[in-house]
Amino acid sequence: MKKVFDVLLARNEFKAEAFIKELDGKKPLFVCTIATTETAKIQGISAAGKYPEFTDYTPPADAELLLLGKCKCINGVPVTPDGIPTPALITMSALRLADIPVLVASGGLKVHPQIPFLDLGGNPGKDIRTGRAVDNVEEVIQRATLAGEHLAKTADYLVIGESIPGGTTTALGVLSAMGVNAVEKVSSSMPDNPHGLKTEAVKAGLAASGESFGTLSKNPIKAISCVGDPMMPAFAGLVMGAAAQVPVLMAGGTQMSAVLAVINALNSDVLCNVAIGTTRWVISDRSSDLRGIVAQIFDVPILAADLDFASSRFSGLQAYEKGVVKEGVGAGGAAIAAMAKVGGAVTKDMLLKEIERNYALLMGTK
Amino acid sequence: MKKVFDVLLARNEFKAEAFIKELDGKKPLFVCTIATTETAKIQGISAAGKYPEFTDYTPPADAELLLLGKCKCINGVPVTPDGIPTPALITMSALRLADIPVLVASGGLKVHPQIPFLDLGGNPGKDIRTGRAVDNVEEVIQRATLAGEHLAKTADYLVIGESIPGGTTTALGVLSAMGVNAVEKVSSSMPDNPHGLKTEAVKAGLAASGESFGTLSKNPIKAISCVGDPMMPAFAGLVMGAAAQVPVLMAGGTQMSAVLAVINALNSDVLCNVAIGTTRWVISDRSSDLRGIVAQIFDVPILAADLDFASSRFSGLQAYEKGVVKEGVGAGGAAIAAMAKVGGAVTKDMLLKEIERNYALLMGTK
């Protein structure tokens, strides 16, 4: 696969290359959109927290890590049940290495982070099996759009990431409601992707809301309201507000395809200014298919940070090569932005060194 | 008084001229810090609301006006008891004319604005006569400092304004606690400055907190906690975080001197990068003395937008020439930034035309 800097051109190579070259030497603003949903507490759905109940703390803890270099609302950092640390560690390392400013935006949280955050008027999400997963969707989209319009004037481009445990299940929900076939195509933070559980939850949510596959293809707001999560309206609004003025890198894995479907239905014009930025782990994952989902929606390019932790001296980082975590908190997009900001002077090896340094500091290892 | 663009060099002419010239053609970010205090409800203290109880709505309504061009949490716009509109009308007109991005930051509110806003972890303020006016001061300062550090990377300089009814009384409180003589020197939104009421409230607050004039000169956090307001820690933190990297224009009237005293006690180094930006109405006000207060604290320059509404076709704007309102919501600083951004191509006459246009739209007049 062709590379520019240590960034793989993973889809629509021509546009992908033009996009990454446009970012060369430019100054980004990184926005981390955080939210929570009860969907994450379905047993076996998410590894973004040691126990299901911990998933309420993962997004605020991730946000604290980005801004403070440590968490405040929990001890240590968010880990999977196997003790593998949050991808926010990658994001934080990349942003600090390239001196990229960060803003945290809340789509709706159970636990507030102990740092400054942009309140967009949303509430925590309910279990999608209720069929009434998110309220206030339209208002949050409007407020986030307004925020995106103003933030676009403060940077050459925006990189927008997310932290919401359970987010691939809600992504499958919205994609299904909108008629995009994503069954067994969404990614997972676990090495064994629990596709069955996700499909079951989405089926229950669609049934409870009286909808079925594709019935909401023209109504993304209702799709989110029924079977989505509160990260989505915040993220989609930010993109729509900003991408009318500057390039926007949507930083994430398969969750981005659900946001893409929402934007495509509301204001597809802005998508000519949008790319998805992810990690090599998502692109090379055989249990999911980001490109296959995107192909059904809109022809945006996909860039993937060519991160490789195989040679890491920490088993907790080597685990990323075995398909654990893969992406999240805009890790891939932040890595791409860090490399592009300095014209490639930040390499994947330098990034790994910085990530290892922070890993040692935060995990208390040597 | 010497002018650069339509900006008066109102104090420390040499530094003031250097400061405004440094802003020439640069891209600012405007941050509006909003908060509420029960102090505003003391009968006769504030004109920032038609009735004392309305003052809870004035800051969120001002913030909505800046971002939406209209208010959502109230009908119309905030007005004085005589129907004179909020200075946010000036701020909004200036920011739109020069396409300056806005971010709203909350120091602590009773009513949330229906727009995106940065939550800094503060709570609404209590009546200073309790002697326990603001809680969480240190934490809010820390969070705001962090926000200021990141926002400084998104702009060439910051303009920070405020909206908090009752703010000159709490300013007198903090200045007095810190040993700065401001009795009969703080400004007022009313034509007849109620100095007696303010002095009385501060005296009661200091007594209730067991403090007196100057006893907290080295403890600005306690001074705010006892007799300040929740705008102050948010504002001071934003300045301290940002001014370490970029110039900061503190946009306001005599309230700025209290924030200046707080910063001077916590981190005076950053003040070499700071100026106060206000209006001609504050500078020429005979019932207050911003320069006399600042002279006791730190030698920062003062810039004043040379606004003149005498020739306005609206009596509601002409009233500004009679000493009503004078300043607020960073009106003076926003006007200065609008002029500086385009190298003086925005003049005071153009500003007045734009303000009149918005006045007519919002007040339903022709």
Side-chain angles (χ1 to χ4, degrees), chain A residues 67-68 72 99 101-102 114 116-119 139 143 146 150 153-154, chain B residues 67-68 72 99 101-102 114 116-119 143 146 150 153-154:
Chain A
L67 277 171
L68 299 169
K72 282 185 100 170
D99 196 28
V102 186
Q114 294 172 36
F117 66 95
L118 205 59
D119 186 321
E139 175 70 21
R143 292 192 197 180
L146 194 57
H150 283 265
K153 295 187 211 295
T154 71
Chain B
L67 277 172
L68 299 169
K72 281 186 99 170
D99 196 27
V102 186
Q114 293 171 36
F117 67 95
L118 205 60
D119 186 321
R143 292 192 197 180
L146 193 57
H150 283 265
K153 297 187 212 294
T154 71

PDB file of all heavy atoms in Angstrom, chain A residues 67-68 72 99 101-102 114 116-119 139 143 146 150 153-154, chain B residues 67-68 72 99 101-102 114 116-119 143 146 150 153-154:
ATOM      1  N   LEU A  67      -5.407  15.852  28.241  1.00  0.00           N
ATOM      2  CA  LEU A  67      -5.129  17.215  28.663  1.00  0.00           C
ATOM      3  C   LEU A  67      -4.126  17.312  29.807  1.00  0.00           C
ATOM      4  O   LEU A  67      -3.387  18.277  29.913  1.00  0.00           O
ATOM      5  CB  LEU A  67      -6.428  17.929  29.057  1.00  0.00           C
ATOM      6  CG  LEU A  67      -7.213  18.519  27.888  1.00  0.00           C
ATOM      7  CD1 LEU A  67      -8.568  19.014  28.327  1.00  0.00           C
ATOM      8  CD2 LEU A  67      -6.445  19.670  27.245  1.00  0.00           C
ATOM      9  N   LEU A  68      -4.143  16.324  30.687  1.00  0.00           N
ATOM     10  CA  LEU A  68      -3.303  16.414  31.887  1.00  0.00           C
ATOM     11  C   LEU A  68      -2.103  15.474  31.855  1.00  0.00           C
ATOM     12  O   LEU A  68      -1.200  15.592  32.683  1.00  0.00           O
ATOM     13  CB  LEU A  68      -4.130  16.073  33.139  1.00  0.00           C
ATOM     14  CG  LEU A  68      -5.324  16.971  33.444  1.00  0.00           C
ATOM     15  CD1 LEU A  68      -6.191  16.343  34.531  1.00  0.00           C
ATOM     16  CD2 LEU A  68      -4.845  18.348  33.884  1.00  0.00           C
ATOM     17  N   LYS A  72      -7.741  11.691  36.337  1.00  0.00           N
ATOM     18  CA  LYS A  72      -8.133  12.160  37.664  1.00  0.00           C
ATOM     19  C   LYS A  72      -9.337  11.396  38.202  1.00  0.00           C
ATOM     20  O   LYS A  72      -9.429  11.147  39.388  1.00  0.00           O
ATOM     21  CB  LYS A  72      -8.456  13.663  37.625  1.00  0.00           C
ATOM     22  CG  LYS A  72      -7.214  14.537  37.618  1.00  0.00           C
ATOM     23  CD  LYS A  72      -7.570  16.011  37.704  1.00  0.00           C
ATOM     24  CE  LYS A  72      -7.416  16.577  39.119  1.00  0.00           C
ATOM     25  NZ  LYS A  72      -7.537  18.058  39.134  1.00  0.00           N
ATOM     26  N   ASP A  99       2.991  19.084  19.529  1.00  0.00           N
ATOM     27  CA  ASP A  99       2.435  20.299  20.141  1.00  0.00           C
ATOM     28  C   ASP A  99       1.110  20.709  19.493  1.00  0.00           C
ATOM     29  O   ASP A  99       0.948  21.851  19.044  1.00  0.00           O
ATOM     30  CB  ASP A  99       3.454  21.443  20.067  1.00  0.00           C
ATOM     31  CG  ASP A  99       3.105  22.589  21.014  1.00  0.00           C
ATOM     32  OD1 ASP A  99       2.461  22.334  22.053  1.00  0.00           O
ATOM     33  OD2 ASP A  99       3.458  23.747  20.706  1.00  0.00           O
ATOM     34  N   PRO A 101      -2.880  21.432  19.849  1.00  0.00           N
ATOM     35  CA  PRO A 101      -3.856  21.750  20.894  1.00  0.00           C
ATOM     36  C   PRO A 101      -5.064  20.814  20.864  1.00  0.00           C
ATOM     37  O   PRO A 101      -5.426  20.285  19.816  1.00  0.00           O
ATOM     38  CB  PRO A 101      -4.279  23.180  20.568  1.00  0.00           C
ATOM     39  CG  PRO A 101      -3.985  23.360  19.119  1.00  0.00           C
ATOM     40  CD  PRO A 101      -2.819  22.462  18.798  1.00  0.00           C
ATOM     41  N   VAL A 102      -5.655  20.639  22.028  1.00  0.00           N
ATOM     42  CA  VAL A 102      -6.774  19.708  22.209  1.00  0.00           C
ATOM     43  C   VAL A 102      -7.961  20.418  22.824  1.00  0.00           C
ATOM     44  O   VAL A 102      -7.805  21.228  23.734  1.00  0.00           O
ATOM     45  CB  VAL A 102      -6.411  18.579  23.199  1.00  0.00           C
ATOM     46  CG1 VAL A 102      -7.529  17.542  23.252  1.00  0.00           C
ATOM     47  CG2 VAL A 102      -5.090  17.943  22.860  1.00  0.00           C
ATOM     48  N   GLN A 114     -12.621  15.933  34.867  1.00  0.00           N
ATOM     49  CA  GLN A 114     -12.156  17.030  35.718  1.00  0.00           C
ATOM     50  C   GLN A 114     -11.175  17.918  34.945  1.00  0.00           C
ATOM     51  O   GLN A 114     -10.069  18.203  35.394  1.00  0.00           O
ATOM     52  CB  GLN A 114     -11.532  16.469  36.994  1.00  0.00           C
ATOM     53  CG  GLN A 114     -12.581  15.761  37.851  1.00  0.00           C
ATOM     54  CD  GLN A 114     -11.987  15.034  39.034  1.00  0.00           C
ATOM     55  OE1 GLN A 114     -11.036  15.491  39.634  1.00  0.00           O
ATOM     56  NE2 GLN A 114     -12.546  13.881  39.376  1.00  0.00           N
ATOM     57  N   PRO A 116     -11.426  21.131  31.468  1.00  0.00           N
ATOM     58  CA  PRO A 116     -12.387  21.931  30.706  1.00  0.00           C
ATOM     59  C   PRO A 116     -12.979  21.098  29.569  1.00  0.00           C
ATOM     60  O   PRO A 116     -12.246  20.367  28.905  1.00  0.00           O
ATOM     61  CB  PRO A 116     -11.530  23.056  30.105  1.00  0.00           C
ATOM     62  CG  PRO A 116     -10.211  22.998  30.796  1.00  0.00           C
ATOM     63  CD  PRO A 116     -10.046  21.624  31.330  1.00  0.00           C
ATOM     64  N   PHE A 117     -14.277  21.178  29.379  1.00  0.00           N
ATOM     65  CA  PHE A 117     -14.875  20.471  28.233  1.00  0.00           C
ATOM     66  C   PHE A 117     -16.038  21.290  27.676  1.00  0.00           C
ATOM     67  O   PHE A 117     -16.715  22.018  28.393  1.00  0.00           O
ATOM     68  CB  PHE A 117     -15.334  19.057  28.601  1.00  0.00           C
ATOM     69  CG  PHE A 117     -16.471  19.021  29.578  1.00  0.00           C
ATOM     70  CD1 PHE A 117     -17.789  18.923  29.137  1.00  0.00           C
ATOM     71  CD2 PHE A 117     -16.239  19.094  30.940  1.00  0.00           C
ATOM     72  CE1 PHE A 117     -18.855  18.899  30.036  1.00  0.00           C
ATOM     73  CE2 PHE A 117     -17.291  19.069  31.850  1.00  0.00           C
ATOM     74  CZ  PHE A 117     -18.595  18.974  31.402  1.00  0.00           C
ATOM     75  N   LEU A 118     -16.231  21.129  26.381  1.00  0.00           N
ATOM     76  CA  LEU A 118     -17.298  21.826  25.682  1.00  0.00           C
ATOM     77  C   LEU A 118     -18.597  21.060  25.890  1.00  0.00           C
ATOM     78  O   LEU A 118     -18.712  19.894  25.501  1.00  0.00           O
ATOM     79  CB  LEU A 118     -16.946  21.888  24.200  1.00  0.00           C
ATOM     80  CG  LEU A 118     -17.537  22.998  23.355  1.00  0.00           C
ATOM     81  CD1 LEU A 118     -17.140  24.366  23.879  1.00  0.00           C
ATOM     82  CD2 LEU A 118     -17.063  22.857  21.909  1.00  0.00           C
ATOM     83  N   ASP A 119     -19.575  21.700  26.489  1.00  0.00           N
ATOM     84  CA  ASP A 119     -20.883  21.093  26.718  1.00  0.00           C
ATOM     85  C   ASP A 119     -21.761  21.375  25.496  1.00  0.00           C
ATOM     86  O   ASP A 119     -21.970  22.525  25.142  1.00  0.00           O
ATOM     87  CB  ASP A 119     -21.490  21.706  27.989  1.00  0.00           C
ATOM     88  CG  ASP A 119     -22.786  21.040  28.408  1.00  0.00           C
ATOM     89  OD1 ASP A 119     -23.601  20.692  27.525  1.00  0.00           O
ATOM     90  OD2 ASP A 119     -23.004  20.877  29.618  1.00  0.00           O
ATOM     91  N   GLU A 139     -30.995  19.048  18.488  1.00  0.00           N
ATOM     92  CA  GLU A 139     -30.423  20.218  19.169  1.00  0.00           C
ATOM     93  C   GLU A 139     -28.906  20.062  19.319  1.00  0.00           C
ATOM     94  O   GLU A 139     -28.152  21.022  19.108  1.00  0.00           O
ATOM     95  CB  GLU A 139     -31.093  20.374  20.547  1.00  0.00           C
ATOM     96  CG  GLU A 139     -30.529  21.464  21.435  1.00  0.00           C
ATOM     97  CD  GLU A 139     -30.838  22.871  20.950  1.00  0.00           C
ATOM     98  OE1 GLU A 139     -31.788  23.052  20.170  1.00  0.00           O
ATOM     99  OE2 GLU A 139     -30.092  23.807  21.353  1.00  0.00           O
ATOM    100  N   ARG A 143     -26.024  22.567  17.908  1.00  0.00           N
ATOM    101  CA  ARG A 143     -25.002  23.227  18.732  1.00  0.00           C
ATOM    102  C   ARG A 143     -23.600  22.827  18.290  1.00  0.00           C
ATOM    103  O   ARG A 143     -22.686  23.657  18.255  1.00  0.00           O
ATOM    104  CB  ARG A 143     -25.200  22.862  20.214  1.00  0.00           C
ATOM    105  CG  ARG A 143     -26.470  23.453  20.783  1.00  0.00           C
ATOM    106  CD  ARG A 143     -26.504  23.349  22.291  1.00  0.00           C
ATOM    107  NE  ARG A 143     -27.864  23.545  22.775  1.00  0.00           N
ATOM    108  CZ  ARG A 143     -28.226  23.523  24.046  1.00  0.00           C
ATOM    109  NH1 ARG A 143     -27.313  23.288  24.984  1.00  0.00           N
ATOM    110  NH2 ARG A 143     -29.478  23.721  24.389  1.00  0.00           N
ATOM    111  N   LEU A 146     -22.551  24.681  15.170  1.00  0.00           N
ATOM    112  CA  LEU A 146     -22.133  26.040  15.540  1.00  0.00           C
ATOM    113  C   LEU A 146     -20.714  26.025  16.097  1.00  0.00           C
ATOM    114  O   LEU A 146     -19.871  26.867  15.735  1.00  0.00           O
ATOM    115  CB  LEU A 146     -23.127  26.561  16.584  1.00  0.00           C
ATOM    116  CG  LEU A 146     -23.159  28.030  16.936  1.00  0.00           C
ATOM    117  CD1 LEU A 146     -23.413  28.880  15.710  1.00  0.00           C
ATOM    118  CD2 LEU A 146     -24.242  28.282  17.995  1.00  0.00           C
ATOM    119  N   HIS A 150     -17.105  27.783  14.417  1.00  0.00           N
ATOM    120  CA  HIS A 150     -16.153  28.686  15.080  1.00  0.00           C
ATOM    121  C   HIS A 150     -14.773  28.062  15.219  1.00  0.00           C
ATOM    122  O   HIS A 150     -13.758  28.725  15.013  1.00  0.00           O
ATOM    123  CB  HIS A 150     -16.706  29.123  16.441  1.00  0.00           C
ATOM    124  CG  HIS A 150     -17.776  30.171  16.313  1.00  0.00           C
ATOM    125  ND1 HIS A 150     -17.524  31.508  16.418  1.00  0.00           N
ATOM    126  CD2 HIS A 150     -19.093  30.066  16.034  1.00  0.00           C
ATOM    127  CE1 HIS A 150     -18.631  32.196  16.220  1.00  0.00           C
ATOM    128  NE2 HIS A 150     -19.608  31.338  15.986  1.00  0.00           N
ATOM    129  N   LYS A 153     -12.339  28.296  12.337  1.00  0.00           N
ATOM    130  CA  LYS A 153     -11.617  29.561  12.131  1.00  0.00           C
ATOM    131  C   LYS A 153     -10.348  29.635  12.977  1.00  0.00           C
ATOM    132  O   LYS A 153      -9.601  30.610  12.898  1.00  0.00           O
ATOM    133  CB  LYS A 153     -12.531  30.739  12.497  1.00  0.00           C
ATOM    134  CG  LYS A 153     -13.750  30.889  11.593  1.00  0.00           C
ATOM    135  CD  LYS A 153     -14.496  32.184  11.938  1.00  0.00           C
ATOM    136  CE  LYS A 153     -15.989  32.081  11.707  1.00  0.00           C
ATOM    137  NZ  LYS A 153     -16.402  31.907  10.333  1.00  0.00           N
ATOM    138  N   THR A 154     -10.135  28.637  13.840  1.00  0.00           N
ATOM    139  CA  THR A 154      -8.985  28.701  14.747  1.00  0.00           C
ATOM    140  C   THR A 154      -7.866  27.748  14.335  1.00  0.00           C
ATOM    141  O   THR A 154      -6.886  27.625  15.065  1.00  0.00           O
ATOM    142  CB  THR A 154      -9.394  28.337  16.193  1.00  0.00           C
ATOM    143  OG1 THR A 154      -9.672  26.921  16.251  1.00  0.00           O
ATOM    144  CG2 THR A 154     -10.625  29.098  16.646  1.00  0.00           C
TER     145      THR A 154
ATOM    146  N   LEU B  67     -23.246  34.030  19.607  1.00  0.00           N
ATOM    147  CA  LEU B  67     -23.087  32.871  18.730  1.00  0.00           C
ATOM    148  C   LEU B  67     -24.216  32.717  17.716  1.00  0.00           C
ATOM    149  O   LEU B  67     -24.007  32.215  16.619  1.00  0.00           O
ATOM    150  CB  LEU B  67     -22.966  31.592  19.559  1.00  0.00           C
ATOM    151  CG  LEU B  67     -21.554  31.299  20.088  1.00  0.00           C
ATOM    152  CD1 LEU B  67     -21.569  30.131  21.057  1.00  0.00           C
ATOM    153  CD2 LEU B  67     -20.598  31.005  18.944  1.00  0.00           C
ATOM    154  N   LEU B  68     -25.417  33.112  18.109  1.00  0.00           N
ATOM    155  CA  LEU B  68     -26.576  32.875  17.241  1.00  0.00           C
ATOM    156  C   LEU B  68     -27.102  34.143  16.577  1.00  0.00           C
ATOM    157  O   LEU B  68     -27.916  34.063  15.655  1.00  0.00           O
ATOM    158  CB  LEU B  68     -27.719  32.253  18.041  1.00  0.00           C
ATOM    159  CG  LEU B  68     -27.455  30.895  18.698  1.00  0.00           C
ATOM    160  CD1 LEU B  68     -28.576  30.545  19.660  1.00  0.00           C
ATOM    161  CD2 LEU B  68     -27.305  29.816  17.634  1.00  0.00           C
ATOM    162  N   LYS B  72     -31.918  32.815  22.980  1.00  0.00           N
ATOM    163  CA  LYS B  72     -32.856  31.697  23.037  1.00  0.00           C
ATOM    164  C   LYS B  72     -33.490  31.555  24.415  1.00  0.00           C
ATOM    165  O   LYS B  72     -34.648  31.167  24.522  1.00  0.00           O
ATOM    166  CB  LYS B  72     -32.138  30.390  22.674  1.00  0.00           C
ATOM    167  CG  LYS B  72     -31.936  30.203  21.179  1.00  0.00           C
ATOM    168  CD  LYS B  72     -31.350  28.851  20.855  1.00  0.00           C
ATOM    169  CE  LYS B  72     -32.401  27.840  20.404  1.00  0.00           C
ATOM    170  NZ  LYS B  72     -31.771  26.606  19.866  1.00  0.00           N
ATOM    171  N   ASP B  99     -15.243  38.800  11.254  1.00  0.00           N
ATOM    172  CA  ASP B  99     -15.200  37.327  11.186  1.00  0.00           C
ATOM    173  C   ASP B  99     -14.256  36.736  12.234  1.00  0.00           C
ATOM    174  O   ASP B  99     -13.355  35.958  11.916  1.00  0.00           O
ATOM    175  CB  ASP B  99     -14.782  36.882   9.778  1.00  0.00           C
ATOM    176  CG  ASP B  99     -15.087  35.410   9.525  1.00  0.00           C
ATOM    177  OD1 ASP B  99     -16.013  34.875  10.153  1.00  0.00           O
ATOM    178  OD2 ASP B  99     -14.369  34.786   8.717  1.00  0.00           O
ATOM    179  N   PRO B 101     -13.718  34.315  15.474  1.00  0.00           N
ATOM    180  CA  PRO B 101     -14.381  33.191  16.148  1.00  0.00           C
ATOM    181  C   PRO B 101     -14.574  33.440  17.645  1.00  0.00           C
ATOM    182  O   PRO B 101     -13.809  34.172  18.259  1.00  0.00           O
ATOM    183  CB  PRO B 101     -13.424  32.024  15.928  1.00  0.00           C
ATOM    184  CG  PRO B 101     -12.091  32.648  15.675  1.00  0.00           C
ATOM    185  CD  PRO B 101     -12.353  33.978  15.032  1.00  0.00           C
ATOM    186  N   VAL B 102     -15.621  32.826  18.174  1.00  0.00           N
ATOM    187  CA  VAL B 102     -16.010  33.024  19.572  1.00  0.00           C
ATOM    188  C   VAL B 102     -16.100  31.688  20.286  1.00  0.00           C
ATOM    189  O   VAL B 102     -16.621  30.713  19.739  1.00  0.00           O
ATOM    190  CB  VAL B 102     -17.426  33.644  19.675  1.00  0.00           C
ATOM    191  CG1 VAL B 102     -17.757  33.988  21.126  1.00  0.00           C
ATOM    192  CG2 VAL B 102     -17.560  34.844  18.780  1.00  0.00           C
ATOM    193  N   GLN B 114     -28.150  28.030  25.596  1.00  0.00           N
ATOM    194  CA  GLN B 114     -28.524  26.986  24.630  1.00  0.00           C
ATOM    195  C   GLN B 114     -27.603  27.026  23.414  1.00  0.00           C
ATOM    196  O   GLN B 114     -28.030  27.092  22.266  1.00  0.00           O
ATOM    197  CB  GLN B 114     -29.999  27.146  24.248  1.00  0.00           C
ATOM    198  CG  GLN B 114     -30.919  26.854  25.446  1.00  0.00           C
ATOM    199  CD  GLN B 114     -32.366  27.201  25.174  1.00  0.00           C
ATOM    200  OE1 GLN B 114     -32.853  27.020  24.060  1.00  0.00           O
ATOM    201  NE2 GLN B 114     -33.069  27.703  26.175  1.00  0.00           N
ATOM    202  N   PRO B 116     -23.090  25.859  22.475  1.00  0.00           N
ATOM    203  CA  PRO B 116     -21.932  25.158  23.054  1.00  0.00           C
ATOM    204  C   PRO B 116     -21.186  26.083  24.020  1.00  0.00           C
ATOM    205  O   PRO B 116     -21.004  27.259  23.718  1.00  0.00           O
ATOM    206  CB  PRO B 116     -21.038  24.881  21.833  1.00  0.00           C
ATOM    207  CG  PRO B 116     -21.846  25.191  20.632  1.00  0.00           C
ATOM    208  CD  PRO B 116     -22.939  26.105  21.037  1.00  0.00           C
ATOM    209  N   PHE B 117     -20.797  25.564  25.163  1.00  0.00           N
ATOM    210  CA  PHE B 117     -19.983  26.369  26.082  1.00  0.00           C
ATOM    211  C   PHE B 117     -18.992  25.480  26.809  1.00  0.00           C
ATOM    212  O   PHE B 117     -19.252  24.308  27.051  1.00  0.00           O
ATOM    213  CB  PHE B 117     -20.852  27.148  27.080  1.00  0.00           C
ATOM    214  CG  PHE B 117     -21.590  26.267  28.058  1.00  0.00           C
ATOM    215  CD1 PHE B 117     -21.064  25.989  29.313  1.00  0.00           C
ATOM    216  CD2 PHE B 117     -22.808  25.702  27.718  1.00  0.00           C
ATOM    217  CE1 PHE B 117     -21.746  25.178  30.218  1.00  0.00           C
ATOM    218  CE2 PHE B 117     -23.487  24.880  28.607  1.00  0.00           C
ATOM    219  CZ  PHE B 117     -22.968  24.616  29.857  1.00  0.00           C
ATOM    220  N   LEU B 118     -17.863  26.088  27.145  1.00  0.00           N
ATOM    221  CA  LEU B 118     -16.797  25.391  27.841  1.00  0.00           C
ATOM    222  C   LEU B 118     -17.128  25.367  29.333  1.00  0.00           C
ATOM    223  O   LEU B 118     -17.262  26.416  29.966  1.00  0.00           O
ATOM    224  CB  LEU B 118     -15.484  26.136  27.592  1.00  0.00           C
ATOM    225  CG  LEU B 118     -14.186  25.384  27.698  1.00  0.00           C
ATOM    226  CD1 LEU B 118     -14.126  24.221  26.706  1.00  0.00           C
ATOM    227  CD2 LEU B 118     -13.010  26.329  27.452  1.00  0.00           C
ATOM    228  N   ASP B 119     -17.270  24.178  29.885  1.00  0.00           N
ATOM    229  CA  ASP B 119     -17.557  24.012  31.310  1.00  0.00           C
ATOM    230  C   ASP B 119     -16.228  23.957  32.055  1.00  0.00           C
ATOM    231  O   ASP B 119     -15.392  23.101  31.765  1.00  0.00           O
ATOM    232  CB  ASP B 119     -18.342  22.709  31.495  1.00  0.00           C
ATOM    233  CG  ASP B 119     -18.821  22.513  32.928  1.00  0.00           C
ATOM    234  OD1 ASP B 119     -18.063  22.832  33.865  1.00  0.00           O
ATOM    235  OD2 ASP B 119     -19.953  22.030  33.115  1.00  0.00           O
ATOM    236  N   ARG B 143      -8.311  24.525  35.844  1.00  0.00           N
ATOM    237  CA  ARG B 143      -8.931  24.074  34.589  1.00  0.00           C
ATOM    238  C   ARG B 143      -8.891  25.173  33.540  1.00  0.00           C
ATOM    239  O   ARG B 143      -8.648  24.924  32.360  1.00  0.00           O
ATOM    240  CB  ARG B 143     -10.380  23.634  34.834  1.00  0.00           C
ATOM    241  CG  ARG B 143     -10.460  22.366  35.668  1.00  0.00           C
ATOM    242  CD  ARG B 143     -11.859  21.776  35.649  1.00  0.00           C
ATOM    243  NE  ARG B 143     -12.015  20.830  36.747  1.00  0.00           N
ATOM    244  CZ  ARG B 143     -13.104  20.150  37.012  1.00  0.00           C
ATOM    245  NH1 ARG B 143     -14.189  20.318  36.253  1.00  0.00           N
ATOM    246  NH2 ARG B 143     -13.164  19.319  38.023  1.00  0.00           N
ATOM    247  N   LEU B 146      -5.456  25.505  32.008  1.00  0.00           N
ATOM    248  CA  LEU B 146      -5.257  24.439  31.022  1.00  0.00           C
ATOM    249  C   LEU B 146      -5.963  24.803  29.703  1.00  0.00           C
ATOM    250  O   LEU B 146      -5.397  24.658  28.611  1.00  0.00           O
ATOM    251  CB  LEU B 146      -5.847  23.149  31.602  1.00  0.00           C
ATOM    252  CG  LEU B 146      -5.543  21.812  30.971  1.00  0.00           C
ATOM    253  CD1 LEU B 146      -4.050  21.566  30.910  1.00  0.00           C
ATOM    254  CD2 LEU B 146      -6.216  20.692  31.789  1.00  0.00           C
ATOM    255  N   HIS B 150      -4.219  25.666  25.815  1.00  0.00           N
ATOM    256  CA  HIS B 150      -4.572  25.051  24.534  1.00  0.00           C
ATOM    257  C   HIS B 150      -5.141  26.079  23.558  1.00  0.00           C
ATOM    258  O   HIS B 150      -4.814  26.069  22.371  1.00  0.00           O
ATOM    259  CB  HIS B 150      -5.539  23.879  24.747  1.00  0.00           C
ATOM    260  CG  HIS B 150      -4.836  22.658  25.253  1.00  0.00           C
ATOM    261  ND1 HIS B 150      -4.404  21.655  24.427  1.00  0.00           N
ATOM    262  CD2 HIS B 150      -4.429  22.310  26.493  1.00  0.00           C
ATOM    263  CE1 HIS B 150      -3.777  20.731  25.139  1.00  0.00           C
ATOM    264  NE2 HIS B 150      -3.795  21.092  26.404  1.00  0.00           N
ATOM    265  N   LYS B 153      -2.788  28.177  21.467  1.00  0.00           N
ATOM    266  CA  LYS B 153      -2.181  27.567  20.273  1.00  0.00           C
ATOM    267  C   LYS B 153      -3.093  27.664  19.050  1.00  0.00           C
ATOM    268  O   LYS B 153      -2.711  27.233  17.955  1.00  0.00           O
ATOM    269  CB  LYS B 153      -1.875  26.083  20.544  1.00  0.00           C
ATOM    270  CG  LYS B 153      -0.852  25.834  21.643  1.00  0.00           C
ATOM    271  CD  LYS B 153      -0.495  24.350  21.701  1.00  0.00           C
ATOM    272  CE  LYS B 153      -0.151  23.885  23.096  1.00  0.00           C
ATOM    273  NZ  LYS B 153       1.066  24.463  23.654  1.00  0.00           N
ATOM    274  N   THR B 154      -4.307  28.173  19.233  1.00  0.00           N
ATOM    275  CA  THR B 154      -5.254  28.219  18.120  1.00  0.00           C
ATOM    276  C   THR B 154      -5.442  29.625  17.558  1.00  0.00           C
ATOM    277  O   THR B 154      -6.266  29.812  16.668  1.00  0.00           O
ATOM    278  CB  THR B 154      -6.653  27.712  18.549  1.00  0.00           C
ATOM    279  OG1 THR B 154      -7.246  28.682  19.409  1.00  0.00           O
ATOM    280  CG2 THR B 154      -6.568  26.371  19.273  1.00  0.00           C
TER     281      THR B 154
END
